[in-house]
Amino acid sequence: MAEAADFQGTRPSPARRWLRRTASVVLGAPLLAGLLAVPAAGAAPASEPAKAPSGSRTVEVSLHTLSPSVPSKDDTLTVSGTLTNKGKKAISGAEVDLRVGPRLSGRGEVDDAAKRSPYVPGADPVTVGDKYTLKLPRLARGITQDFTLTVPVDKLGLDDPGVYQLGVSVSGRTAGSPYEQVLGIKRSFLPWQPEASDSRTKLTFLWPLIASPHVTAETRSDQQQTPVFADDGLAEELAPGGRLEQMVSLGSRLPVTWVVDPDLLASVAAMAGKYEIKSGDRTVPGKNQAVAKQWLTALEKVVEDGKVIALPFADPDLASIAHRGKNVSGTLSHLQNASTVAATTVETILHVKPSTDFAWPVNGAVDSSIVDVATSAGAHNVIARSDSFRETSELPYTPTAARPIGGGTTAVVADARLSTLFDGDMSRAGASTLAVQKFLAQTLALTEQAPDNERSIVVAPPRMPTAAQAQTMARALGALSGNRWTQPLDLVAAAEVKPDPKATSKIPGRSAYPEKLRAQELPTQAFQDIRVTQGSLDSFETILTQPERVVTPFGNAVNRSMSTSWRGRAPEARQYRDAVRAYLKSLTSEVQLIKKSDVTLSGRSATIPVTVQNQLVQGVDRLVLQLTSDNLRLKFNDDGTKAELPVGIAGGHSQSVKFDTATSANGRAQVTARLFTEDGTQYGEEMTFTVKVSEVTPTVLLVIAGGLLLLVLAGIRMYTHRKRAVASDTTDGDGGGPEQPSDRTPDTGPESGAPSGTGEKVDR
């Protein structure tokens, strides 16, 4: 009955409720644990290994060499590389085949072929033949093996000139797949132009000599102004095998246009003499003069007959200036100054007259504001890139680089495909070889687009190529040395080529600028920091007897603060700006007021000296020292509470400047000393000291005079009294006997200090 009552809604007893709860917990725990152990839908267990490659991705094929890059009829093509089994199983009966064809039509098909990853039957090239197959009995899992294939060119089935697909494939069987299949493939390109073409494309290849800033604003306090480098990294780039050494060595054998940052030349020239390197809080002598001299000598010899383009000094970031700096006062004047000194620097060091008529924004990305900034600095040619300066009409060919964009300005639009081919890590042999073959394929495909329309193409590679990138670029240009479908042209001539009327000449709007590049720009704060530094430098310059010793190194440092090399390196850029500002502050503080203790003045007039110290090597002048009193009781030269005197101090000396004062009452006055330049700008920190005025009044003078008179009268009386006493003693001893002591009557007069009338008065 009790159980029936429970089901009918009767409230169970507490003991029964406790038993039910306990049973549900015990029985439900295993079920809950099982549910929690089930992984979420679609989520793989954490310990599950990554899936091994399969199909035509099982074997990774890398092509290290392809020689010759542009074969002739009688050549033998040699392809070598490595095979790596990335699968789970060993491969048996592997065969390595060379595949050639079909001929690609146009630049778009070259791009499509490069993007394919897995093997695509019918689209990928066919094998050359079993005669040239390399057989490998076994390719173990995770093992890398070298291979070399050699095939006479006349066996490749090449017909009409053009770009042919080329590939190396690996076929074989695995335990999980007993039938033979393609397990790996690597594609490349084979340009085929057995004879020189009547149609050639004019090719301009920029060869940049640009480096990040290494020289600080600091110089030693010697006559030579020994420069101080932040580090010795530039020497590593100049040394044999270094990036800049490779650029000069490789470029000397190529038809290129040298694009030079004058700051690099100035830095290397400074290194060729005496220089020092920062090491913590001190500097140590630099020891790479020979490396610097050797590099400069080699470069001077290379460019003596070549075309040199000089960028503005320190390669300022035009886009950052246009987007974030041009509204900060003084920024555009810095850019103009950088452009002005460029030609002088290059001509002085390399002894060639460069062209300074070109501006090169980062990655060739332009908009109307960048063009405006570039032209404001004197450039009439702006190096752009085709992925920024996009074609608006459907041209079936790549147009000539030169485009008039108004106002007498020409946009020289570099080809984006060719310019970006050498980005990335070219230290890997496979990547380098593929870049070379792509470059050759694209230039040949470009020429074949419109054989009767001779065009001029510009290639603007990475701004600061690595040594490996430079070597890859040199290989690509060297392969064109036969000039079968291109002919070299320098950049100045390329800018003067007659433009294609069908090509776009519309400057991209500001919104078209890539966001990725915009995020790397120098912030507005950077230009504000530069403005503050320049303001301090301007004030400092006005007081120096040899301002060029300061203006030149700091002016160069300010230009370096705007360099394109700071992109993506915001902390380093800020650190460089802060170091320049801090060093300038340390120099300006070498001219200062010496702290003065409180001064006490007595009388109506006095002189207050104030000392100014100059610890600089050179002298300073055109300074004004001003004293200001906060109280009318202390005046200067009877003119008021303010006085000014000119200051000029030799290097390493101090000068005491004296101010005449006048006082009118006792008390204290606070005096503030300040230094100013001639234009009224305060220089350095002010100094405050207290002047205590203790004036001597006429009443006090009368009291002092009266006291002195009484002292004089008392002295006269004492003298007279003693004289009378001596005379009296002489009279009493007239018998000539020995002098006897006498009883003298006590002196009881009014000045004796004894009471009067107390003794007998004696007549002397």
Side-chain angles (χ1 to χ4, degrees):
M1 294 295 294
E3 293 176 2
D6 287 344
F7 283 104
Q8 292 172 3
T10 304
R11 182 179 179 85
S13 65
R16 185 170 295 163
R17 289 199 303 272
W18 179 84
L19 288 171
R20 287 180 180 177
R21 286 197 301 269
T22 303
S24 64
V25 171
V26 172
L27 294 174
L31 177 61
L32 179 60
L35 291 173
L36 292 175
V38 177
S47 60
E48 182 178 332
K51 188 176 181 180
S54 61
S56 59
R57 293 188 176 93
T58 304
V59 178
E60 181 183 274
V61 183
S62 178
L63 306 183
H64 293 176
T65 63
L66 196 160
S67 179
S69 297
V70 183
S72 299
K73 292 180 180 179
D74 299 328
D75 288 333
T76 296
L77 183 67
T78 301
V79 181
S80 66
T82 58
L83 312 171
T84 304
N85 182 3
K86 298 286 188 178
K88 292 183 176 180
K89 307 290 184 181
I91 299 171
S92 59
E95 295 183 351
V96 184
D97 290 295
L98 184 67
R99 296 171 174 265
V100 178
R103 181 177 178 274
L104 300 172
S105 176
R107 304 185 72 183
E109 288 195 4
V110 174
D111 292 336
D112 293 340
K115 293 175 183 176
R116 282 202 301 272
S117 179
Y119 173 69
V120 181
D124 274 312
V126 297
T127 60
V128 174
D130 293 341
K131 184 177 179 181
Y132 305 103
T133 297
L134 175 65
K135 298 183 181 298
L136 301 174
R138 177 182 171 83
L139 188 59
R141 174 189 174 188
I143 298 300
T144 297
Q145 185 166 333
D146 297 334
F147 73 88
T148 299
L149 298 174
T150 303
V151 183
V153 171
D154 59 5
K155 303 298 182 182
L156 298 178
L158 305 176
D159 297 322
D160 296 334
V163 179
Y164 287 80
Q165 295 186 72
L166 181 142
V168 172
S169 65
V170 180
S171 303
R173 297 180 297 276
T174 64
S177 179
Y179 58 89
E180 185 173 315
Q181 60 176 317
V182 175
L183 299 174
I185 187 170
K186 187 66 176 180
R187 301 171 186 83
S188 187
F189 305 96
L190 191 66
W192 176 239
Q193 186 77 35
E195 298 177 357
S197 173
D198 293 334
S199 176
R200 297 186 184 183
T201 299
K202 296 176 180 177
L203 183 67
T204 302
F205 203 106
L206 307 187
W207 204 254
L209 292 180
I210 301 173
S212 57
H214 291 275
V215 182
T216 68
E218 186 175 349
T219 58
R220 295 292 86 205
S221 300
D222 51 22
Q223 197 62 34
Q224 294 76 26
Q225 279 193 280
T226 301
V228 177
F229 284 62
D231 52 57
D232 218 10
L234 184 57
E236 297 176 5
E237 296 188 74
L238 300 174
R243 184 181 73 86
L244 292 171
E245 186 276 336
Q246 286 287 286
M247 289 294 293
V248 172
S249 175
L250 296 168
S252 65
R253 303 186 292 269
L254 300 170
V256 295
T257 297
W258 299 85
V259 180
V260 179
D261 175 9
D263 180 37
L264 172 61
L265 301 181
S267 299
V268 179
M271 182 179 286
K274 181 182 177 183
Y275 74 102
E276 295 192 4
I277 307 164
K278 290 188 74 69
S279 178
D281 296 333
R282 62 190 185 94
T283 61
V284 296
K287 300 179 180 179
N288 287 290
Q289 288 85 353
V291 170
K293 292 177 182 177
Q294 184 176 359
W295 188 83
L296 280 178
T297 300
L299 178 60
E300 184 180 352
K301 183 177 181 180
V302 167
V303 301
E304 60 184 358
D305 296 324
K307 186 63 67 176
V308 176
I309 306 298
L311 298 175
F313 192 94
D315 188 22
D317 191 335
L318 300 177
S320 294
I321 294 173
H323 297 158
R324 304 171 191 258
K326 68 178 181 181
N327 293 328
V328 178
S329 62
T331 300
L332 290 180
S333 64
H334 291 312
L335 177 59
Q336 292 165 355
N337 177 67
S339 300
T340 301
V341 302
T344 304
T345 304
V346 174
E347 195 165 354
T348 301
I349 297 174
L350 294 183
H351 307 103
V352 295
K353 188 174 182 60
S355 171
T356 58
D357 207 22
F358 289 83
W360 189 12
V362 174
N363 286 10
V366 298
D367 59 26
S368 55
S369 64
I370 295 174
V371 172
D372 290 342
V373 165
T375 54
S376 71
H380 294 92
N381 300 287
V382 179
I383 303 171
R385 208 166 71 182
S386 60
D387 53 352
S388 174
F389 215 102
R390 297 180 181 275
E391 293 300 321
T392 55
S393 57
E394 296 296 330
L395 290 178
Y397 56 84
T398 302
T400 287
R403 321 282 175 85
I405 55 177
T409 305
T410 299
V412 182
V413 183
D415 187 83
R417 284 189 181 106
L418 297 175
S419 299
T420 57
L421 273 177
F422 307 102
D423 293 348
D425 183 9
M426 294 290 117
S427 62
R428 296 181 295 113
S432 177
T433 298
L434 181 58
V436 170
Q437 296 306 124
K438 277 185 180 179
F439 178 81
L440 298 172
Q442 285 287 354
T443 53
L444 179 54
L446 186 152
T447 302
E448 291 185 329
Q449 286 175 337
D452 298 330
N453 183 7
E454 187 178 88
R455 288 152 291 150
S456 171
I457 304 300
V458 173
V459 179
R463 205 176 199 89
M464 290 193 289
T466 64
Q469 288 172 339
Q471 291 162 1
T472 303
M473 294 188 301
R475 286 175 54 199
L477 277 175
L480 289 176
S481 59
N483 297 327
R484 298 182 187 179
W485 60 86
T486 63
Q487 62 183 34
L489 187 70
D490 66 73
L491 182 61
V492 174
E496 297 172 351
V497 170
K498 183 179 179 181
D500 189 328
K502 297 180 181 179
T504 184
S505 58
K506 183 180 179 181
I507 304 172
R510 185 164 180 170
S511 61
Y513 193 80
E515 288 300 324
K516 183 177 180 180
L517 291 180
R518 193 182 296 273
Q520 296 177 347
E521 292 176 347
L522 292 170
T524 302
Q525 184 61 48
F527 297 99
Q528 292 172 345
D529 292 344
I530 292 170
R531 180 187 60 187
V532 172
T533 299
Q534 185 62 48
S536 300
L537 180 61
D538 292 341
S539 296
F540 191 38
E541 175 189 358
T542 61
I543 71 169
L544 300 176
T545 57
Q546 295 176 283
E548 68 281 356
R549 287 177 60 91
V550 171
V551 172
T552 299
F554 274 99
N556 292 341
V558 166
N559 289 333
R560 294 181 187 113
S561 299
M562 302 189 301
S563 173
T564 59
S565 64
W566 299 124
R567 282 193 169 239
R569 302 167 56 206
E572 293 93 332
R574 184 171 54 253
Q575 183 179 8
Y576 186 86
R577 296 194 303 272
D578 291 347
V580 172
R581 187 167 59 251
Y583 181 59
L584 179 58
K585 184 177 180 181
S586 72
L587 285 183
T588 58
S589 64
E590 298 289 349
V591 180
Q592 61 180 335
L593 295 166
I594 300 299
K595 290 293 183 182
K596 188 175 184 65
S597 58
D598 293 348
V599 178
T600 300
L601 300 181
S602 298
R604 292 182 177 275
S605 62
T607 299
I608 298 178
V610 177
T611 302
V612 184
Q613 185 182 56
N614 174 22
Q615 293 180 301
L616 297 172
V617 174
Q618 63 174 298
V620 297
D621 58 12
R622 297 183 296 279
L623 268 176
V624 175
L625 175 58
Q626 180 191 90
L627 290 193
T628 306
S629 170
D630 69 344
N631 199 312
L632 288 173
R633 65 169 55 92
L634 178 65
K635 295 183 178 181
F636 301 99
N637 302 320
D638 295 326
D639 293 334
T641 58
K642 182 185 296 186
E644 294 180 347
L645 289 175
V647 178
I649 315 171
H653 289 74
S654 299
Q655 178 180 342
S656 181
V657 184
K658 297 180 179 180
F659 290 83
D660 294 331
T661 64
T663 61
S664 59
N666 292 339
R668 294 173 176 265
Q670 290 291 113
V671 176
T672 301
R674 300 181 180 90
L675 286 173
F676 289 89
T677 58
E678 283 187 336
D679 62 359
T681 303
Q682 183 171 337
Y683 182 92
E685 298 181 358
E686 63 184 36
M687 178 190 64
T688 302
F689 58 94
T690 301
V691 176
K692 300 176 183 178
V693 180
S694 300
E695 183 182 5
V696 183
T697 65
T699 301
V700 174
L701 291 175
L702 288 174
V703 171
I704 294 173
L708 290 174
L709 179 61
L710 290 174
L711 289 173
V712 171
L713 291 174
I716 293 173
R717 185 178 184 282
M718 291 176 64
Y719 173 76
T720 304
H721 178 75
R722 182 172 291 276
K723 187 174 181 180
R724 286 199 301 264
V726 170
S728 176
D729 290 343
T730 303
T731 303
D732 293 342
D734 194 37
E739 183 177 358
Q740 299 292 328
S742 61
D743 294 331
R744 295 181 180 178
T745 303
D747 186 1
T748 57
E751 297 177 8
S752 67
S756 60
T758 59
E760 184 179 357
K761 191 171 183 179
V762 177
D763 187 9
R764 291 201 178 250

